[in-house]
Short mmCIF file of all heavy atoms in Angstrom, two decimals:
data_model
loop_
_atom_site.label_atom_id
_atom_site.label_comp_id
_atom_site.label_asym_id
_atom_site.label_seq_id
_atom_site.Cartn_x
_atom_site.Cartn_y
_atom_site.Cartn_z
N MET M 1 -1.38 -2.33 39.13
CA MET M 1 -0.30 -3.24 38.78
C MET M 1 -0.88 -4.55 38.26
O MET M 1 -1.81 -5.09 38.85
CB MET M 1 0.59 -3.51 40.00
CG MET M 1 1.90 -4.24 39.72
SD MET M 1 1.77 -6.03 39.44
CE MET M 1 1.11 -6.59 41.00
N THR M 2 -0.34 -5.05 37.16
CA THR M 2 -0.84 -6.27 36.54
C THR M 2 0.30 -7.28 36.38
O THR M 2 1.44 -6.91 36.09
CB THR M 2 -1.43 -5.98 35.15
OG1 THR M 2 -2.52 -5.06 35.29
CG2 THR M 2 -1.93 -7.25 34.47
N THR M 3 -0.02 -8.55 36.57
CA THR M 3 0.92 -9.62 36.24
C THR M 3 0.47 -10.24 34.93
O THR M 3 -0.69 -10.65 34.79
CB THR M 3 0.94 -10.71 37.33
OG1 THR M 3 1.43 -10.14 38.55
CG2 THR M 3 1.86 -11.85 36.91
N ARG M 106 -1.58 -19.75 41.17
CA ARG M 106 -2.31 -18.49 41.37
C ARG M 106 -1.96 -17.85 42.71
O ARG M 106 -1.70 -16.64 42.78
CB ARG M 106 -3.81 -18.77 41.31
CG ARG M 106 -4.70 -17.57 41.61
CD ARG M 106 -6.07 -18.03 42.07
NE ARG M 106 -5.98 -18.81 43.31
CZ ARG M 106 -6.93 -19.64 43.74
NH1 ARG M 106 -8.02 -19.83 43.02
NH2 ARG M 106 -6.76 -20.29 44.89
N ASP M 107 -1.94 -18.66 43.75
CA ASP M 107 -1.67 -18.11 45.08
C ASP M 107 -0.26 -17.52 45.15
O ASP M 107 -0.04 -16.50 45.82
CB ASP M 107 -1.83 -19.20 46.14
CG ASP M 107 -3.28 -19.67 46.27
OD1 ASP M 107 -4.18 -18.95 45.78
OD2 ASP M 107 -3.50 -20.74 46.86
N ILE M 109 1.38 -16.13 42.65
CA ILE M 109 1.36 -14.89 41.86
C ILE M 109 0.55 -13.79 42.55
O ILE M 109 0.91 -12.60 42.49
CB ILE M 109 0.81 -15.18 40.45
CG1 ILE M 109 1.80 -16.05 39.68
CG2 ILE M 109 0.54 -13.89 39.68
CD1 ILE M 109 1.29 -16.54 38.33
N HIS M 110 -0.52 -14.17 43.23
CA HIS M 110 -1.37 -13.17 43.89
C HIS M 110 -0.68 -12.44 45.02
O HIS M 110 -1.21 -11.45 45.53
CB HIS M 110 -2.66 -13.84 44.40
CG HIS M 110 -3.72 -13.98 43.35
ND1 HIS M 110 -4.96 -14.53 43.59
CD2 HIS M 110 -3.72 -13.61 42.03
CE1 HIS M 110 -5.68 -14.50 42.48
NE2 HIS M 110 -4.94 -13.97 41.53
N ARG M 111 0.47 -12.89 45.41
CA ARG M 111 1.27 -12.18 46.42
C ARG M 111 1.49 -10.73 45.98
O ARG M 111 1.56 -9.83 46.82
CB ARG M 111 2.63 -12.89 46.58
CG ARG M 111 3.65 -12.17 47.46
CD ARG M 111 4.97 -12.93 47.43
NE ARG M 111 6.03 -12.26 48.16
CZ ARG M 111 6.29 -12.46 49.45
NH1 ARG M 111 5.54 -13.30 50.16
NH2 ARG M 111 7.29 -11.82 50.06
N TRP M 112 1.56 -10.50 44.67
CA TRP M 112 1.84 -9.16 44.15
C TRP M 112 0.61 -8.50 43.51
O TRP M 112 0.73 -7.51 42.80
CB TRP M 112 2.98 -9.23 43.13
CG TRP M 112 4.20 -9.83 43.75
CD1 TRP M 112 5.08 -9.21 44.60
CD2 TRP M 112 4.68 -11.16 43.60
NE1 TRP M 112 6.06 -10.08 44.99
CE2 TRP M 112 5.85 -11.29 44.40
CE3 TRP M 112 4.23 -12.27 42.88
CZ2 TRP M 112 6.57 -12.47 44.49
CZ3 TRP M 112 4.94 -13.46 42.98
CH2 TRP M 112 6.10 -13.55 43.76
N GLY M 113 -0.57 -9.07 43.76
CA GLY M 113 -1.79 -8.48 43.24
C GLY M 113 -2.63 -9.50 42.48
O GLY M 113 -2.10 -10.46 41.91
N LYS M 114 -3.93 -9.27 42.46
CA LYS M 114 -4.85 -10.24 41.86
C LYS M 114 -5.22 -9.91 40.42
O LYS M 114 -6.03 -10.63 39.81
CB LYS M 114 -6.10 -10.35 42.72
CG LYS M 114 -5.81 -10.91 44.11
CD LYS M 114 -7.08 -11.12 44.91
CE LYS M 114 -6.75 -11.73 46.28
NZ LYS M 114 -7.98 -11.96 47.08
N ASP M 115 -4.68 -8.83 39.88
CA ASP M 115 -4.95 -8.50 38.48
C ASP M 115 -3.96 -9.25 37.60
O ASP M 115 -2.78 -8.89 37.53
CB ASP M 115 -4.81 -6.98 38.27
CG ASP M 115 -5.21 -6.55 36.87
OD1 ASP M 115 -5.74 -7.40 36.12
OD2 ASP M 115 -4.97 -5.38 36.51
N VAL M 116 -4.44 -10.30 36.95
CA VAL M 116 -3.57 -11.17 36.15
C VAL M 116 -4.10 -11.25 34.72
O VAL M 116 -5.28 -11.50 34.49
CB VAL M 116 -3.47 -12.59 36.74
CG1 VAL M 116 -2.59 -13.48 35.88
CG2 VAL M 116 -2.94 -12.53 38.18
N ARG M 117 -3.22 -11.02 33.75
CA ARG M 117 -3.56 -11.17 32.34
C ARG M 117 -2.99 -12.51 31.86
O ARG M 117 -1.77 -12.73 31.94
CB ARG M 117 -2.96 -10.02 31.53
CG ARG M 117 -3.03 -10.16 30.00
CD ARG M 117 -4.41 -9.90 29.45
NE ARG M 117 -4.91 -8.59 29.84
CZ ARG M 117 -4.64 -7.44 29.20
NH1 ARG M 117 -3.90 -7.46 28.09
NH2 ARG M 117 -5.14 -6.31 29.61
N PHE M 164 -8.06 -18.51 37.75
CA PHE M 164 -7.71 -17.09 37.87
C PHE M 164 -8.92 -16.18 37.74
O PHE M 164 -8.82 -14.97 38.00
CB PHE M 164 -6.66 -16.72 36.81
CG PHE M 164 -5.26 -17.14 37.17
CD1 PHE M 164 -4.77 -18.38 36.80
CD2 PHE M 164 -4.44 -16.29 37.91
CE1 PHE M 164 -3.47 -18.76 37.13
CE2 PHE M 164 -3.14 -16.65 38.25
CZ PHE M 164 -2.66 -17.91 37.87
N GLY M 165 -10.06 -16.73 37.34
CA GLY M 165 -11.27 -15.93 37.26
C GLY M 165 -11.23 -14.86 36.19
O GLY M 165 -11.78 -13.76 36.38
N THR M 166 -10.58 -15.16 35.07
CA THR M 166 -10.47 -14.19 33.99
C THR M 166 -10.36 -14.91 32.66
O THR M 166 -9.97 -16.09 32.63
CB THR M 166 -9.25 -13.26 34.19
OG1 THR M 166 -9.26 -12.23 33.22
CG2 THR M 166 -7.95 -14.04 34.08
#
Side-chain angles (χ1 to χ4, degrees):
M1 191 283 298
T2 299
T3 296
R106 175 202 62 199
D107 294 344
I109 292 173
H110 276 181
R111 172 185 176 90
W112 302 283
K114 296 185 178 181
D115 185 8
V116 179
R117 170 75 56 85
F164 281 90
T166 187

